């Protein structure tokens, strides 16, 4: 989902007046089939925030010589923080007050981030030696990036399903 061009709700509606299904953004409003392209964009948006937060958490935990559990808790917490913040700042720029923007971000991203983090961290935990690998080792990056790739493949259909029901990233479209 491209959050670089934001419009107020009325501008968004006016932009699509007179169009049938499959608007300029490749989706219909409300319930109905969502495009794979829209699901991919929503998942990439989520993945970007999750990856930044998770990598930052791993770097901080490693630098502080924390154990695996503490480092993963920090990484997951930062993944949620960065994942939510991307949507939060986008809808704040569109004119929502902070409380409303926070509600939109939580509604838009919670399931997507949770699925992504569950899958990604399960891949890391199940990859032999990955939990003990250091940032300078290929195994660490292979497990982390492989986990992101698998998480993307699993989260995209989840996002497509949610968007098609007017949930998840579909709620963000009213604000840009």
């Amino acid at each position: 989902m491209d959050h670089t061009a934001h419009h107020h709700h009325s501008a968004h509606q006016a932009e699509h007046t007179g169009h049938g299904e499959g608007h300029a953004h490749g989706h219909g409003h409300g319930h109905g089939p969502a495009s794979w392209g829209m699901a991919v964009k929503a998942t990439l948006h989520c993945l970007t925030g999750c990856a930044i937060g998770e990598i930052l958490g791993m770097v901080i935990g490693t630098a502080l010589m924390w154990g695996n559990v503490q480092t993963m808790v920090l990484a997951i917490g930062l993944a949620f923080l960065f994942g939510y913040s991307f949507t939060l700042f986008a809808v704040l720029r569109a004119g929502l007050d902070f409380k409303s923007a926070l509600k939109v971000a939580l509604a838009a991203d919670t399931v997507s981030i949770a699925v992504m983090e569950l899958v990604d961290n399960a891949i890391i935990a199940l990859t032999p030696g990955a939990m003990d690998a250091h940032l300078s080792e290929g195994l660490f990056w292979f497990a982390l990036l492989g986990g992101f790739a698998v998480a993307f493949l699993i989260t995209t259909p989840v996002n497509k399903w949610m968007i098609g029901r007017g949930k998840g990233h579909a709620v963000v479209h009213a604000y840009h």
Side-chain angles (χ1 to χ4, degrees):
M1 152 144 24
D2 182 9
H3 289 287
T4 57
H6 301 283
H7 308 283
H8 291 284
H9 181 68
S10 59
H12 180 75
Q13 285 181 331
E15 175 186 341
H16 295 300
T17 302
H19 293 283
E21 287 299 310
H23 304 295
H25 289 298
H27 68 283
H29 291 284
H31 306 292
S35 72
W36 280 106
M38 184 178 185
V40 165
K41 287 180 183 178
T43 306
L44 285 173
H45 177 265
C46 177
L47 179 64
T48 302
C50 289
I52 291 168
E54 194 160 328
I55 292 169
L56 183 60
M58 299 278 189
V59 169
I60 292 170
T62 301
L64 296 174
M65 298 200 283
W66 286 0
N68 290 335
V69 173
Q70 297 92 337
T71 299
M72 284 187 87
V73 168
L74 176 63
I76 292 168
L78 289 176
F80 272 90
L81 179 69
F82 277 86
Y84 286 138
S85 69
F86 279 25
T87 299
L88 180 66
F89 292 129
V91 294
L92 282 171
R93 282 194 309 264
L96 258 65
D97 62 279
F98 183 81
K99 185 177 178 182
S100 298
L102 183 60
K103 287 180 182 179
V104 168
L106 292 173
D109 294 328
T110 299
V111 172
S112 184
I113 295 170
V115 170
M116 190 158 293
E117 286 302 300
L118 178 69
V119 172
D120 175 51
N121 284 286
I123 297 293
I124 293 169
L126 295 173
T127 301
M131 292 296 291
D132 296 318
H134 296 279
L135 295 174
S136 61
E137 297 178 46
L139 178 59
F140 169 83
W141 294 102
F142 174 78
L144 183 66
L145 298 177
F148 286 148
V150 172
F152 174 82
L153 293 174
I154 291 173
T155 307
T156 300
V158 171
N159 281 332
K160 184 179 185 303
W161 181 82
M162 289 180 58
I163 292 166
R165 280 145 190 79
K167 308 287 185 201
H169 267 262
V171 301
V172 175
H173 281 280
Y175 304 102
H176 74 89

